Amino acid sequence: MPATEANPDASNVSLSTKALPKCERGSSKDERPFSFHRLRKLIHLICVGIFFALPFANLMRFDIPRQRFYFFGYELWISEFSIIFFSLMFLMFIVAAMAMLYGRVYCGYLCPQMIFSEASVALESKITRTVNQYIRWKARPRKILSRSLFYAIAVVASMLLAFGFISYFVEPRDLLRRLLVLDLRTAGGIAGATTTLLTLLDLLFVRQRFCTTVCPYGYLQGMLGDGDTLIVHYRDENRECIECTKCVRICQMNIDIRTSPYQIECIHCGECIDACADVLGRLGKQGLIHYVWGEHGEKLGGSEGSWYRKLGIRNSKRVVVLLIILFYGAGLFTALSMRRPVLVRIAPDRTTMYRLAKDGTVYNRFRLQVANRSQVQGIAQLSIDGLPGTRFYQFENAVVVGPGQSVQTEFEIEAPLSANLPSTINHFRLISKVGNDRDVFEETFIIPDKESQ
């Protein structure tokens, strides 16, 4: 979609022939009115930085080859799927709660699809204007040049965005190595190439159409919102609108906000608010489009009401939702903080009940698994309690495990005749100690009957 056709439906709106008054701008930067456009672009820039920082800093990444989930400093293994599931559900619940309180703010301010779609439209428009300004060719060669430059930049941008997206699932350094050798044989290389192609098609052709045709979040918003949800609303009780239609022409979703605040295409970006405030501000009037708390509620940032109402906490339902988020987050944090960084598992090997040596010494075999889920080296020390006269056989009772590694081994406990243990089953405890963490495993040691010896 060419940048000059950002709003094809605008031609169907009757445009006013009135000349707009000149804008007298102050010389001080402090006199500039508040702009939602500038706020959105700043938030977009921050979101792009977060998008690339999360996987590289292991703040949030699902490492599929190693079966690890990194969540804000915690390395969760696939065996801890319950914590992984509740972590992802917590993030989804926050997005849903945000929709109920603040409407489509996620779509307009935080959604990666919208951020990169708007960047694509702005880049295409910028290239077209620059070529038309400095290149004195005929119209068709200038159009071909601007399109070629835009496509070339879009290809590079698609590769970078695909690299950032796949880094959430494959270790970034390994993915970079695959990219440099143009790997198209492994799953990571194929996924990267496919994502690059889809991203390129999105930047060139799909853009905001994705929001109105594919994305389910806009439809979900209609069910989550209520009479106190933040919306963009056109209010003109005194009929002060001058029909300049700038609010229509500036909208990249191709809607007329004056028709209804509940159009499914509206992402509540606030661009129409800036447009109306700019035009009517030249006439010394207030804009007619505002962020409001519900269709009949007060304006955002109004001086009336308590602080919690200004933040969107306007009824008991919102208080309940916030309490649920608080308790959910506290429970998730408690579960993450209580998990052991080094997991030790001990189980008896009963493929053979025992092993009896010629001198009468009895051996029982056990399986040991140590998984280090931290970023530092761990040492697991074992000791025997409640089984006097026994010891480990050819096994050092310390297992060293590197960060992110797992060790599986077997060991035997021997009971010589001098131990004088009773026949058959003897209950005892194996104690593992890793740093300040201590685990106790209730086990059994089997001795044959005296008659069988």
Side-chain angles (χ1 to χ4, degrees), residues 135-185:
I135 304 299
R136 301 302 179 185
W137 295 351
K138 294 182 179 180
R140 182 172 179 79
R142 286 203 310 267
K143 183 177 180 180
I144 294 176
L145 177 60
S146 60
R147 285 292 184 87
S148 300
L149 291 175
F150 172 67
Y151 287 172
I153 296 176
V155 169
V156 176
S158 299
M159 295 176 64
L160 292 176
L161 293 177
F163 177 78
F165 177 76
I166 300 298
S167 294
Y168 280 84
F169 306 99
V170 180
E171 205 280 324
R173 286 168 296 196
D174 179 48
L175 182 62
L176 179 60
R177 179 183 58 81
R178 298 171 189 267
L179 179 63
L180 293 177
V181 297
L182 300 178
D183 177 20
L184 294 176
R185 294 176 297 177

Side-chain angles (χ1 to χ4, degrees), residues 244-442:
C244 68
T245 67
K246 187 176 181 180
C247 60
V248 180
R249 289 179 280 116
I250 201 68
C251 180
Q252 296 194 44
M253 302 305 293
N254 303 323
I255 65 171
D256 187 348
I257 190 60
R258 300 173 298 177
T259 302
S260 169
Y262 299 110
Q263 300 174 72
I264 196 64
E265 299 87 356
C266 181
I267 59 171
H268 297 177
C269 63
E271 296 288 342
C272 54
I273 299 177
D274 289 342
C276 187
D278 177 58
V279 172
L280 291 185
R282 305 177 189 183
L283 301 176
K285 300 180 180 180
Q286 297 292 326
L288 303 177
I289 308 175
H290 313 276
Y291 277 117
V292 296
W293 298 106
E295 191 170 4
H296 303 289
E298 64 268 22
K299 301 175 185 178
L300 176 67
S303 58
E304 300 179 358
S306 54
W307 63 269
Y308 53 86
R309 288 184 61 85
K310 294 178 181 179
L311 293 178
I313 309 174
R314 312 180 68 79
N315 53 38
S316 58
K317 179 172 70 172
R318 283 159 169 73
V319 175
V320 171
V321 169
L322 292 179
L323 288 177
I324 292 176
I325 293 178
L326 178 62
F327 285 115
Y328 197 142
L332 180 60
F333 175 77
T334 302
L336 290 172
S337 60
M338 291 180 61
R339 63 187 292 272
R340 298 290 179 85
V342 179
L343 183 65
V344 179
R345 291 288 182 264
I346 300 176
D349 183 358
R350 296 309 182 194
T351 53
T352 56
M353 300 296 291
Y354 56 85
R355 182 170 66 88
L356 183 63
K358 293 181 179 181
D359 61 356
T361 301
V362 180
Y363 301 87
N364 277 207
R365 181 176 293 272
F366 296 84
R367 294 192 181 98
L368 171 66
Q369 180 180 8
V370 183
N372 187 357
R373 303 177 294 187
S374 68
Q375 300 299 317
V376 297
Q377 179 178 276
I379 302 177
Q381 295 178 322
L382 303 183
S383 60
I384 304 171
D385 181 47
L387 201 62
T390 62
R391 60 181 178 270
F392 294 105
Y393 174 70
Q394 295 182 352
F395 174 74
E396 296 184 3
N397 63 334
V399 179
V400 180
V401 186
Q405 294 182 352
S406 179
V407 173
Q408 295 183 359
T409 186
E410 295 182 349
F411 64 90
E412 288 184 320
I413 297 177
E414 62 174 347
L417 287 176
S418 59
N420 196 25
L421 295 176
S423 301
T424 62
I425 299 177
N426 297 267
H427 296 278
F428 73 104
R429 291 173 298 277
L430 280 171
I431 301 174
S432 71
K433 186 177 181 182
V434 182
N436 296 324
D437 295 332
R438 184 173 180 269
D439 289 313
V440 178
F441 300 90
E442 299 288 342

